[in-house]
Amino acid sequence: MAAALDALNDYGPEGAAFAGGTWIMRAPIRHQPLKARHVAIGKIPELTEIRIGADAIEIGAAVTHAALASAVADLPEFAVLAAAAGRSANPAIRALATIGGNLATSDFSAADCVPALLCLDAQTEVSSRSGRERMSLKAFLTQRSALAPGQLLTKIVVPRSRHKTAHARLPLRKAGDYPVAIVSLSLDVDATNHVRAARIAIGSVEAVARRWGRLEAALLGRPLDPARAAEIAADLAGEFVGRESVEVPPWYRVSVLPGLVRRATAAALGA
């Protein structure tokens, strides 16, 4: 790790970290120049570990989507993360793509794991030669494009809970396509299924994934009903401005949100 951080610092703006490479290797297709130098971090032990504790799980930034999905498959509170990591792209990509790359690539608006980790209230750890800094994922997303060359996302820390979670995505046409929209949610419900706490994150609709605070507030104290949740989502969806793309028009990304909210809440209830 120390050698990697030294190399990234020394290379400055001409260098970049390279783990799975699933985004970097397609730079020419996007008509983006490759960096002059890359630092291979995909086999650094600290970055490839997943530690499951009683209160939280710690995920190294070079953990692949496939490894992450397998590691949390039997942890019910991380159903949203297992689905996000285990259904994104296709099997070949999931075997290479890393969680750190998913979070750190600021141009990748359709990353599945970003909304999943947002709804789980994840923290990120950024390392450099001068030390390590812990920040919320929301804060990291606002700063990631401005990180200094010698700074590297090294760990994601996710608290454990008894919440019900789910991840719903609408792909364009088939496996491997980017999702039109993503709804990830984490809900705390009482014995009568009334919502005591809600964290709902939306991805792929706008340039950067974010929490849907108004919908979270609207569900509090109500019985968790998928149809009613979709109706509320339809009333509130106008706050989103869909991003432009060659695949679908902006309005369509917004229009599918109520249906995805219905699917996600039904999945959280086990329906």
Short mmCIF file of all heavy atoms in Angstrom, two decimals, residues 204-271:
data_model
loop_
_atom_site.label_atom_id
_atom_site.label_comp_id
_atom_site.label_asym_id
_atom_site.label_seq_id
_atom_site.Cartn_x
_atom_site.Cartn_y
_atom_site.Cartn_z
N SER A 204 -28.61 6.53 -11.37
CA SER A 204 -28.68 6.51 -12.83
C SER A 204 -29.65 7.53 -13.42
O SER A 204 -29.62 7.78 -14.62
CB SER A 204 -29.01 5.11 -13.36
OG SER A 204 -28.68 4.99 -14.72
N VAL A 205 -30.51 8.11 -12.61
CA VAL A 205 -31.48 9.09 -13.12
C VAL A 205 -30.79 10.43 -13.37
O VAL A 205 -30.95 11.04 -14.43
CB VAL A 205 -32.65 9.26 -12.14
CG1 VAL A 205 -33.59 10.38 -12.60
CG2 VAL A 205 -33.43 7.95 -12.03
N GLU A 206 -30.04 10.88 -12.39
CA GLU A 206 -29.27 12.12 -12.53
C GLU A 206 -27.78 11.79 -12.63
O GLU A 206 -27.40 10.62 -12.56
CB GLU A 206 -29.57 13.03 -11.34
CG GLU A 206 -31.03 13.45 -11.27
CD GLU A 206 -31.38 14.32 -10.08
OE1 GLU A 206 -30.74 14.18 -9.02
OE2 GLU A 206 -32.31 15.14 -10.21
N ALA A 207 -26.96 12.79 -12.76
CA ALA A 207 -25.53 12.55 -12.96
C ALA A 207 -24.89 11.86 -11.77
O ALA A 207 -23.97 11.05 -11.92
CB ALA A 207 -24.82 13.87 -13.25
N VAL A 208 -25.38 12.16 -10.56
CA VAL A 208 -24.83 11.57 -9.34
C VAL A 208 -25.97 11.00 -8.52
O VAL A 208 -27.02 11.64 -8.37
CB VAL A 208 -24.06 12.63 -8.50
CG1 VAL A 208 -23.47 11.99 -7.25
CG2 VAL A 208 -22.96 13.28 -9.34
N ALA A 209 -25.79 9.80 -7.99
CA ALA A 209 -26.82 9.18 -7.15
C ALA A 209 -27.02 10.01 -5.89
O ALA A 209 -26.08 10.63 -5.38
CB ALA A 209 -26.40 7.75 -6.78
N ARG A 210 -28.25 10.00 -5.36
CA ARG A 210 -28.53 10.75 -4.14
C ARG A 210 -29.71 10.14 -3.40
O ARG A 210 -30.50 9.38 -3.96
CB ARG A 210 -28.82 12.22 -4.44
CG ARG A 210 -30.08 12.49 -5.28
CD ARG A 210 -30.25 13.99 -5.46
NE ARG A 210 -31.31 14.38 -6.36
CZ ARG A 210 -32.56 14.67 -5.99
NH1 ARG A 210 -32.92 14.56 -4.72
NH2 ARG A 210 -33.46 15.06 -6.89
N ARG A 211 -29.82 10.51 -2.13
CA ARG A 211 -30.94 10.09 -1.30
C ARG A 211 -32.20 10.84 -1.73
O ARG A 211 -32.15 11.99 -2.16
CB ARG A 211 -30.64 10.36 0.17
CG ARG A 211 -29.52 9.52 0.76
CD ARG A 211 -30.01 8.28 1.47
NE ARG A 211 -30.87 8.63 2.59
CZ ARG A 211 -30.43 8.88 3.84
NH1 ARG A 211 -29.15 8.83 4.11
NH2 ARG A 211 -31.30 9.15 4.81
N TRP A 212 -33.36 10.19 -1.54
CA TRP A 212 -34.64 10.82 -1.84
C TRP A 212 -35.30 11.18 -0.51
O TRP A 212 -36.14 10.46 0.02
CB TRP A 212 -35.51 9.86 -2.64
CG TRP A 212 -36.68 10.50 -3.31
CD1 TRP A 212 -37.17 11.76 -3.12
CD2 TRP A 212 -37.54 9.91 -4.30
NE1 TRP A 212 -38.26 11.99 -3.91
CE2 TRP A 212 -38.51 10.88 -4.65
CE3 TRP A 212 -37.57 8.65 -4.91
CZ2 TRP A 212 -39.51 10.61 -5.59
CZ3 TRP A 212 -38.56 8.38 -5.83
CH2 TRP A 212 -39.52 9.35 -6.19
N GLY A 213 -34.90 12.31 0.04
CA GLY A 213 -35.32 12.70 1.37
C GLY A 213 -36.81 12.91 1.52
O GLY A 213 -37.40 12.55 2.55
N ARG A 214 -37.46 13.48 0.53
CA ARG A 214 -38.90 13.76 0.64
C ARG A 214 -39.70 12.46 0.67
O ARG A 214 -40.69 12.35 1.40
CB ARG A 214 -39.36 14.65 -0.51
CG ARG A 214 -38.82 16.07 -0.47
CD ARG A 214 -39.25 16.86 -1.68
NE ARG A 214 -40.70 17.07 -1.69
CZ ARG A 214 -41.39 17.39 -2.79
NH1 ARG A 214 -40.76 17.48 -3.96
NH2 ARG A 214 -42.69 17.60 -2.72
N LEU A 215 -39.29 11.48 -0.11
CA LEU A 215 -39.99 10.19 -0.07
C LEU A 215 -39.74 9.49 1.25
O LEU A 215 -40.66 8.90 1.83
CB LEU A 215 -39.54 9.31 -1.24
CG LEU A 215 -40.20 7.92 -1.32
CD1 LEU A 215 -41.71 8.04 -1.41
CD2 LEU A 215 -39.65 7.13 -2.52
N GLU A 216 -38.53 9.56 1.75
CA GLU A 216 -38.23 8.97 3.06
C GLU A 216 -39.15 9.56 4.13
O GLU A 216 -39.75 8.82 4.93
CB GLU A 216 -36.77 9.26 3.43
CG GLU A 216 -35.74 8.58 2.54
CD GLU A 216 -34.33 9.03 2.82
OE1 GLU A 216 -34.14 10.00 3.58
OE2 GLU A 216 -33.39 8.42 2.27
N ALA A 217 -39.28 10.88 4.14
CA ALA A 217 -40.12 11.54 5.15
C ALA A 217 -41.58 11.17 4.98
O ALA A 217 -42.32 11.00 5.97
CB ALA A 217 -39.94 13.06 5.06
N ALA A 218 -42.03 11.03 3.73
CA ALA A 218 -43.44 10.73 3.47
C ALA A 218 -43.83 9.33 3.91
O ALA A 218 -45.01 9.07 4.19
CB ALA A 218 -43.73 10.92 1.98
N LEU A 219 -42.87 8.42 3.98
CA LEU A 219 -43.18 7.04 4.37
C LEU A 219 -43.17 6.84 5.88
O LEU A 219 -43.73 5.85 6.38
CB LEU A 219 -42.18 6.08 3.74
CG LEU A 219 -42.20 5.97 2.21
CD1 LEU A 219 -41.17 4.94 1.74
CD2 LEU A 219 -43.58 5.59 1.69
N LEU A 220 -42.56 7.75 6.62
CA LEU A 220 -42.44 7.57 8.07
C LEU A 220 -43.81 7.50 8.75
O LEU A 220 -44.72 8.30 8.46
CB LEU A 220 -41.64 8.73 8.67
CG LEU A 220 -40.15 8.77 8.35
CD1 LEU A 220 -39.51 9.98 9.01
CD2 LEU A 220 -39.46 7.49 8.79
N GLY A 221 -43.95 6.52 9.63
CA GLY A 221 -45.19 6.35 10.38
C GLY A 221 -46.30 5.65 9.64
O GLY A 221 -47.34 5.34 10.22
N ARG A 222 -46.10 5.38 8.37
CA ARG A 222 -47.13 4.72 7.56
C ARG A 222 -46.89 3.21 7.52
O ARG A 222 -45.75 2.75 7.60
CB ARG A 222 -47.12 5.24 6.12
CG ARG A 222 -47.46 6.71 5.95
CD ARG A 222 -47.29 7.10 4.50
NE ARG A 222 -47.63 8.49 4.23
CZ ARG A 222 -48.83 8.90 3.83
NH1 ARG A 222 -49.80 8.01 3.65
NH2 ARG A 222 -49.07 10.18 3.61
N PRO A 223 -47.94 2.44 7.29
CA PRO A 223 -47.74 1.02 7.00
C PRO A 223 -46.98 0.89 5.68
O PRO A 223 -47.22 1.67 4.75
CB PRO A 223 -49.16 0.46 6.88
CG PRO A 223 -50.04 1.46 7.53
CD PRO A 223 -49.38 2.79 7.34
N LEU A 224 -46.06 -0.04 5.62
CA LEU A 224 -45.26 -0.21 4.40
C LEU A 224 -46.09 -0.96 3.36
O LEU A 224 -46.23 -2.18 3.44
CB LEU A 224 -43.96 -0.95 4.71
CG LEU A 224 -42.99 -1.10 3.54
CD1 LEU A 224 -42.60 0.26 2.99
CD2 LEU A 224 -41.75 -1.87 3.97
N ASP A 225 -46.61 -0.23 2.41
CA ASP A 225 -47.46 -0.80 1.35
C ASP A 225 -46.85 -0.43 0.00
O ASP A 225 -46.74 0.76 -0.32
CB ASP A 225 -48.88 -0.26 1.46
CG ASP A 225 -49.76 -0.75 0.33
OD1 ASP A 225 -50.11 -1.94 0.32
OD2 ASP A 225 -50.08 0.08 -0.56
N PRO A 226 -46.44 -1.40 -0.81
CA PRO A 226 -45.79 -1.09 -2.09
C PRO A 226 -46.61 -0.20 -3.01
O PRO A 226 -46.08 0.73 -3.62
CB PRO A 226 -45.54 -2.47 -2.70
CG PRO A 226 -45.44 -3.38 -1.52
CD PRO A 226 -46.41 -2.85 -0.53
N ALA A 227 -47.92 -0.46 -3.13
CA ALA A 227 -48.75 0.34 -4.02
C ALA A 227 -48.83 1.78 -3.55
O ALA A 227 -48.73 2.73 -4.35
CB ALA A 227 -50.14 -0.27 -4.12
N ARG A 228 -49.01 1.98 -2.25
CA ARG A 228 -49.09 3.34 -1.72
C ARG A 228 -47.74 4.04 -1.84
O ARG A 228 -47.68 5.24 -2.16
CB ARG A 228 -49.55 3.31 -0.25
CG ARG A 228 -49.67 4.67 0.39
CD ARG A 228 -50.60 5.58 -0.39
NE ARG A 228 -50.67 6.91 0.21
CZ ARG A 228 -50.93 8.00 -0.49
NH1 ARG A 228 -51.14 7.93 -1.82
NH2 ARG A 228 -51.00 9.18 0.12
N ALA A 229 -46.66 3.32 -1.61
CA ALA A 229 -45.33 3.92 -1.76
C ALA A 229 -45.11 4.39 -3.19
O ALA A 229 -44.53 5.46 -3.42
CB ALA A 229 -44.26 2.92 -1.34
N ALA A 230 -45.58 3.62 -4.15
CA ALA A 230 -45.44 4.01 -5.56
C ALA A 230 -46.27 5.25 -5.87
O ALA A 230 -45.84 6.13 -6.63
CB ALA A 230 -45.87 2.85 -6.46
N GLU A 231 -47.46 5.36 -5.28
CA GLU A 231 -48.30 6.54 -5.49
C GLU A 231 -47.62 7.79 -4.94
O GLU A 231 -47.61 8.85 -5.58
CB GLU A 231 -49.65 6.35 -4.81
CG GLU A 231 -50.54 5.30 -5.46
CD GLU A 231 -51.81 5.07 -4.66
OE1 GLU A 231 -52.00 5.73 -3.62
OE2 GLU A 231 -52.64 4.23 -5.10
N ILE A 232 -47.04 7.67 -3.75
CA ILE A 232 -46.34 8.80 -3.16
C ILE A 232 -45.13 9.18 -4.02
O ILE A 232 -44.85 10.36 -4.27
CB ILE A 232 -45.90 8.47 -1.72
CG1 ILE A 232 -47.12 8.23 -0.84
CG2 ILE A 232 -45.05 9.59 -1.14
CD1 ILE A 232 -46.80 7.71 0.54
N ALA A 233 -44.41 8.17 -4.49
CA ALA A 233 -43.25 8.42 -5.35
C ALA A 233 -43.66 9.14 -6.62
O ALA A 233 -42.94 10.04 -7.09
CB ALA A 233 -42.56 7.10 -5.68
N ALA A 234 -44.79 8.77 -7.19
CA ALA A 234 -45.27 9.43 -8.41
C ALA A 234 -45.54 10.91 -8.16
O ALA A 234 -45.26 11.77 -9.01
CB ALA A 234 -46.52 8.73 -8.93
N ASP A 235 -46.08 11.23 -7.00
CA ASP A 235 -46.37 12.62 -6.65
C ASP A 235 -45.10 13.44 -6.45
O ASP A 235 -45.10 14.65 -6.68
CB ASP A 235 -47.21 12.68 -5.37
CG ASP A 235 -48.64 12.17 -5.58
OD1 ASP A 235 -49.10 12.16 -6.75
OD2 ASP A 235 -49.27 11.78 -4.59
N LEU A 236 -44.02 12.79 -6.02
CA LEU A 236 -42.79 13.50 -5.66
C LEU A 236 -41.71 13.43 -6.74
O LEU A 236 -40.70 14.13 -6.63
CB LEU A 236 -42.23 12.93 -4.35
CG LEU A 236 -43.12 13.03 -3.12
CD1 LEU A 236 -42.44 12.33 -1.93
CD2 LEU A 236 -43.42 14.47 -2.78
N ALA A 237 -41.91 12.61 -7.77
CA ALA A 237 -40.84 12.35 -8.74
C ALA A 237 -40.44 13.59 -9.53
O ALA A 237 -39.34 13.62 -10.11
CB ALA A 237 -41.26 11.23 -9.69
N GLY A 238 -41.29 14.61 -9.55
CA GLY A 238 -40.98 15.81 -10.30
C GLY A 238 -39.75 16.56 -9.83
O GLY A 238 -39.23 17.42 -10.55
N GLU A 239 -39.23 16.22 -8.66
CA GLU A 239 -38.03 16.90 -8.17
C GLU A 239 -36.77 16.42 -8.89
O GLU A 239 -35.73 17.06 -8.80
CB GLU A 239 -37.85 16.69 -6.67
CG GLU A 239 -37.44 15.29 -6.27
CD GLU A 239 -37.21 15.18 -4.76
OE1 GLU A 239 -38.20 15.16 -4.01
OE2 GLU A 239 -36.04 15.13 -4.35
N PHE A 240 -36.86 15.30 -9.61
CA PHE A 240 -35.71 14.80 -10.35
C PHE A 240 -35.68 15.36 -11.76
O PHE A 240 -36.73 15.51 -12.41
CB PHE A 240 -35.74 13.27 -10.41
CG PHE A 240 -35.45 12.60 -9.09
CD1 PHE A 240 -36.49 12.26 -8.24
CD2 PHE A 240 -34.15 12.34 -8.71
CE1 PHE A 240 -36.23 11.66 -7.02
CE2 PHE A 240 -33.88 11.74 -7.48
CZ PHE A 240 -34.93 11.41 -6.63
N VAL A 241 -34.49 15.63 -12.24
CA VAL A 241 -34.29 16.06 -13.62
C VAL A 241 -33.42 15.00 -14.28
O VAL A 241 -32.22 14.88 -13.99
CB VAL A 241 -33.60 17.44 -13.69
CG1 VAL A 241 -33.38 17.83 -15.14
CG2 VAL A 241 -34.44 18.48 -12.97
N GLY A 242 -34.01 14.19 -15.13
CA GLY A 242 -33.28 13.09 -15.74
C GLY A 242 -32.10 13.58 -16.57
O GLY A 242 -32.17 14.63 -17.21
N ARG A 243 -31.03 12.81 -16.53
CA ARG A 243 -29.84 13.19 -17.29
C ARG A 243 -29.99 12.83 -18.77
O ARG A 243 -30.69 11.89 -19.14
CB ARG A 243 -28.60 12.50 -16.71
CG ARG A 243 -28.63 11.00 -16.73
CD ARG A 243 -27.42 10.41 -16.02
NE ARG A 243 -27.54 8.97 -15.91
CZ ARG A 243 -27.08 8.12 -16.83
NH1 ARG A 243 -26.47 8.56 -17.91
NH2 ARG A 243 -27.21 6.81 -16.66
N GLU A 244 -29.31 13.59 -19.60
CA GLU A 244 -29.30 13.33 -21.04
C GLU A 244 -28.41 12.13 -21.35
O GLU A 244 -27.39 11.90 -20.71
CB GLU A 244 -28.76 14.56 -21.78
CG GLU A 244 -29.64 15.79 -21.68
CD GLU A 244 -30.82 15.75 -22.63
OE1 GLU A 244 -30.90 14.79 -23.43
OE2 GLU A 244 -31.66 16.65 -22.56
N SER A 245 -28.82 11.33 -22.32
CA SER A 245 -28.00 10.22 -22.80
C SER A 245 -28.52 9.81 -24.16
O SER A 245 -29.62 10.19 -24.57
CB SER A 245 -28.05 9.03 -21.83
OG SER A 245 -29.33 8.41 -21.88
N VAL A 246 -27.72 9.00 -24.87
CA VAL A 246 -28.15 8.54 -26.19
C VAL A 246 -29.12 7.37 -26.07
O VAL A 246 -29.79 7.01 -27.04
CB VAL A 246 -26.94 8.11 -27.04
CG1 VAL A 246 -26.02 9.30 -27.30
CG2 VAL A 246 -26.16 6.97 -26.38
N GLU A 247 -29.20 6.76 -24.86
CA GLU A 247 -30.03 5.56 -24.71
C GLU A 247 -31.51 5.87 -24.55
O GLU A 247 -32.35 5.27 -25.22
CB GLU A 247 -29.56 4.73 -23.51
CG GLU A 247 -28.12 4.23 -23.61
CD GLU A 247 -27.16 5.16 -22.90
OE1 GLU A 247 -27.62 6.23 -22.44
OE2 GLU A 247 -25.97 4.83 -22.79
N VAL A 248 -31.83 6.77 -23.61
CA VAL A 248 -33.24 7.07 -23.33
C VAL A 248 -33.38 8.57 -23.06
O VAL A 248 -32.42 9.22 -22.62
CB VAL A 248 -33.76 6.28 -22.10
CG1 VAL A 248 -33.77 4.80 -22.38
CG2 VAL A 248 -32.94 6.60 -20.87
N PRO A 249 -34.57 9.14 -23.27
CA PRO A 249 -34.77 10.55 -22.96
C PRO A 249 -34.82 10.78 -21.45
O PRO A 249 -35.17 9.87 -20.69
CB PRO A 249 -36.12 10.86 -23.61
CG PRO A 249 -36.83 9.54 -23.68
CD PRO A 249 -35.76 8.52 -23.89
N PRO A 250 -34.49 11.99 -21.00
CA PRO A 250 -34.46 12.27 -19.55
C PRO A 250 -35.77 11.99 -18.84
O PRO A 250 -35.77 11.47 -17.72
CB PRO A 250 -34.11 13.77 -19.50
CG PRO A 250 -33.39 14.04 -20.78
CD PRO A 250 -34.04 13.14 -21.79
N TRP A 251 -36.90 12.30 -19.46
CA TRP A 251 -38.19 12.13 -18.80
C TRP A 251 -38.48 10.66 -18.49
O TRP A 251 -39.16 10.35 -17.51
CB TRP A 251 -39.32 12.71 -19.65
CG TRP A 251 -39.51 12.04 -20.98
CD1 TRP A 251 -39.00 12.43 -22.18
CD2 TRP A 251 -40.26 10.83 -21.25
NE1 TRP A 251 -39.36 11.56 -23.19
CE2 TRP A 251 -40.14 10.57 -22.64
CE3 TRP A 251 -41.00 9.96 -20.46
CZ2 TRP A 251 -40.73 9.47 -23.24
CZ3 TRP A 251 -41.60 8.85 -21.07
CH2 TRP A 251 -41.47 8.62 -22.44
N TYR A 252 -37.95 9.76 -19.33
CA TYR A 252 -38.24 8.35 -19.13
C TYR A 252 -37.59 7.82 -17.86
O TYR A 252 -38.17 7.01 -17.14
CB TYR A 252 -37.77 7.54 -20.34
CG TYR A 252 -38.11 6.08 -20.26
CD1 TYR A 252 -39.43 5.65 -20.33
CD2 TYR A 252 -37.11 5.11 -20.10
CE1 TYR A 252 -39.75 4.30 -20.24
CE2 TYR A 252 -37.43 3.77 -20.01
CZ TYR A 252 -38.74 3.37 -20.08
OH TYR A 252 -39.06 2.04 -19.99
N ARG A 253 -36.38 8.30 -17.57
CA ARG A 253 -35.70 7.86 -16.34
C ARG A 253 -36.54 8.21 -15.11
O ARG A 253 -36.61 7.42 -14.17
CB ARG A 253 -34.32 8.53 -16.24
CG ARG A 253 -33.35 8.14 -17.33
CD ARG A 253 -31.98 8.76 -17.10
NE ARG A 253 -31.10 8.53 -18.21
CZ ARG A 253 -30.40 7.41 -18.42
NH1 ARG A 253 -30.48 6.43 -17.55
NH2 ARG A 253 -29.61 7.28 -19.48
N VAL A 254 -37.15 9.39 -15.14
CA VAL A 254 -37.97 9.82 -14.01
C VAL A 254 -39.29 9.05 -13.96
O VAL A 254 -39.76 8.66 -12.89
CB VAL A 254 -38.25 11.34 -14.10
CG1 VAL A 254 -39.14 11.79 -12.96
CG2 VAL A 254 -36.93 12.12 -14.09
N SER A 255 -39.85 8.77 -15.13
CA SER A 255 -41.18 8.15 -15.17
C SER A 255 -41.20 6.74 -14.62
O SER A 255 -42.25 6.26 -14.17
CB SER A 255 -41.71 8.14 -16.62
OG SER A 255 -40.99 7.22 -17.42
N VAL A 256 -40.06 6.04 -14.64
CA VAL A 256 -40.04 4.65 -14.17
C VAL A 256 -39.81 4.55 -12.66
O VAL A 256 -39.89 3.45 -12.10
CB VAL A 256 -38.98 3.82 -14.92
CG1 VAL A 256 -39.25 3.83 -16.42
CG2 VAL A 256 -37.57 4.31 -14.63
N LEU A 257 -39.53 5.66 -11.99
CA LEU A 257 -39.22 5.60 -10.57
C LEU A 257 -40.34 5.03 -9.71
O LEU A 257 -40.08 4.19 -8.83
CB LEU A 257 -38.80 6.99 -10.06
CG LEU A 257 -37.40 7.45 -10.46
CD1 LEU A 257 -37.14 8.87 -9.98
CD2 LEU A 257 -36.35 6.49 -9.90
N PRO A 258 -41.61 5.44 -9.90
CA PRO A 258 -42.66 4.86 -9.06
C PRO A 258 -42.74 3.34 -9.15
O PRO A 258 -42.91 2.66 -8.13
CB PRO A 258 -43.94 5.53 -9.57
CG PRO A 258 -43.47 6.83 -10.14
CD PRO A 258 -42.13 6.53 -10.76
N GLY A 259 -42.60 2.81 -10.35
CA GLY A 259 -42.63 1.36 -10.51
C GLY A 259 -41.47 0.68 -9.81
O GLY A 259 -41.64 -0.40 -9.22
N LEU A 260 -40.29 1.29 -9.86
CA LEU A 260 -39.14 0.72 -9.17
C LEU A 260 -39.29 0.82 -7.65
O LEU A 260 -38.85 -0.08 -6.92
CB LEU A 260 -37.86 1.42 -9.62
CG LEU A 260 -37.41 1.14 -11.06
CD1 LEU A 260 -36.19 1.97 -11.41
CD2 LEU A 260 -37.12 -0.34 -11.27
N VAL A 261 -39.91 1.89 -7.17
CA VAL A 261 -40.19 2.00 -5.74
C VAL A 261 -41.13 0.89 -5.30
O VAL A 261 -40.95 0.27 -4.25
CB VAL A 261 -40.78 3.39 -5.40
CG1 VAL A 261 -41.35 3.41 -3.99
CG2 VAL A 261 -39.72 4.47 -5.57
N ARG A 262 -42.14 0.61 -6.13
CA ARG A 262 -43.08 -0.49 -5.80
C ARG A 262 -42.33 -1.82 -5.73
O ARG A 262 -42.50 -2.60 -4.80
CB ARG A 262 -44.18 -0.57 -6.85
CG ARG A 262 -45.19 -1.69 -6.58
CD ARG A 262 -46.17 -1.89 -7.71
NE ARG A 262 -47.04 -0.73 -7.90
CZ ARG A 262 -46.96 0.12 -8.89
NH1 ARG A 262 -46.01 -0.04 -9.83
NH2 ARG A 262 -47.79 1.13 -9.00
N ARG A 263 -41.48 -2.07 -6.73
CA ARG A 263 -40.73 -3.33 -6.75
C ARG A 263 -39.80 -3.46 -5.55
O ARG A 263 -39.69 -4.52 -4.94
CB ARG A 263 -39.92 -3.41 -8.05
CG ARG A 263 -40.72 -3.82 -9.28
CD ARG A 263 -39.87 -3.74 -10.53
NE ARG A 263 -38.55 -4.38 -10.36
CZ ARG A 263 -37.56 -4.25 -11.23
NH1 ARG A 263 -37.71 -3.48 -12.31
NH2 ARG A 263 -36.42 -4.85 -11.01
N ALA A 264 -39.12 -2.36 -5.22
CA ALA A 264 -38.15 -2.41 -4.12
C ALA A 264 -38.84 -2.61 -2.77
O ALA A 264 -38.38 -3.41 -1.94
CB ALA A 264 -37.32 -1.13 -4.10
N THR A 265 -39.96 -1.93 -2.53
CA THR A 265 -40.65 -2.09 -1.26
C THR A 265 -41.26 -3.49 -1.15
O THR A 265 -41.25 -4.10 -0.07
CB THR A 265 -41.75 -1.03 -1.09
OG1 THR A 265 -42.58 -0.99 -2.26
CG2 THR A 265 -41.14 0.36 -0.89
N ALA A 266 -41.77 -4.01 -2.26
CA ALA A 266 -42.30 -5.38 -2.23
C ALA A 266 -41.20 -6.39 -1.93
O ALA A 266 -41.39 -7.32 -1.16
CB ALA A 266 -42.97 -5.70 -3.57
N ALA A 267 -40.00 -6.16 -2.54
CA ALA A 267 -38.88 -7.07 -2.27
C ALA A 267 -38.44 -6.99 -0.82
O ALA A 267 -38.10 -8.00 -0.20
CB ALA A 267 -37.73 -6.74 -3.21
N ALA A 268 -38.45 -5.78 -0.26
CA ALA A 268 -38.06 -5.62 1.14
C ALA A 268 -39.01 -6.36 2.07
O ALA A 268 -38.60 -6.89 3.11
CB ALA A 268 -38.01 -4.13 1.50
N LEU A 269 -40.28 -6.41 1.69
CA LEU A 269 -41.28 -7.12 2.49
C LEU A 269 -41.27 -8.62 2.23
O LEU A 269 -41.97 -9.37 2.90
CB LEU A 269 -42.67 -6.58 2.18
CG LEU A 269 -43.00 -5.19 2.74
CD1 LEU A 269 -44.32 -4.70 2.15
CD2 LEU A 269 -43.07 -5.23 4.26
N GLY A 270 -40.47 -9.03 1.24
CA GLY A 270 -40.43 -10.45 0.90
C GLY A 270 -41.60 -10.88 0.05
O GLY A 270 -41.90 -12.08 -0.07
N ALA A 271 -42.28 -9.91 -0.55
CA ALA A 271 -43.47 -10.23 -1.37
C ALA A 271 -43.07 -10.59 -2.80
O ALA A 271 -42.02 -10.21 -3.27
CB ALA A 271 -44.41 -9.02 -1.38
#
